[in-house]
Amino acid sequence: MPETPGTNGTRPVVTPARVVIGLCLVAPFVAMLWVGSYAKVDPKAFGIPFFYWYQMLWVLISTGLTAIAYVLVRREKRALSASREGGAAK
């Protein structure tokens, strides 16, 4: 099977930052697809059944995780462009 080239003709590199980015983006999907973990009424929060407030809580958590992933992607792109510029100057 042929290898998929990256942006510069090499194989994509799996870095710890990319693993964290992937986990941040996958976690909300796993949490929402695992319905058995939140398909219940109790405990209630302000009279709202667990089933509903748990999902609303994940909206906020997902926002935070997506923001973390965005910051990590930007940081990695900045580091990559800096290393390319540094390599070109040498």
Side-chain angles (χ1 to χ4, degrees), residues 73-90:
V73 167
R74 295 271 307 207
R75 183 183 301 167
E76 190 167 291
K77 282 187 178 183
R78 227 179 300 125
L80 182 61
S81 67
S83 70
R84 284 184 182 168
E85 289 174 7
K90 291 182 179 179

Side-chain angles (χ1 to χ4, degrees), residues 24-64:
C24 284
L25 296 176
V26 168
F29 290 102
V30 172
M32 290 295 93
L33 290 175
W34 186 20
V35 179
S37 69
Y38 63 92
K40 51 190 167 190
V41 176
D42 291 323
K44 291 183 178 182
F46 304 107
I48 301 171
F50 181 74
F51 181 79
Y52 295 112
W53 69 258
Y54 177 81
Q55 292 178 66
M56 290 292 95
L57 179 64
W58 269 100
V59 169
L60 300 174
I61 293 170
S62 298
T63 303

Side-chain angles (χ1 to χ4, degrees), residues 7-29:
T7 56
N8 59 359
T10 61
R11 289 182 48 197
V13 178
V14 177
T15 62
R18 289 183 182 180
V19 171
V20 172
I21 291 165
L23 290 173
C24 284
L25 296 176
V26 168
F29 290 102

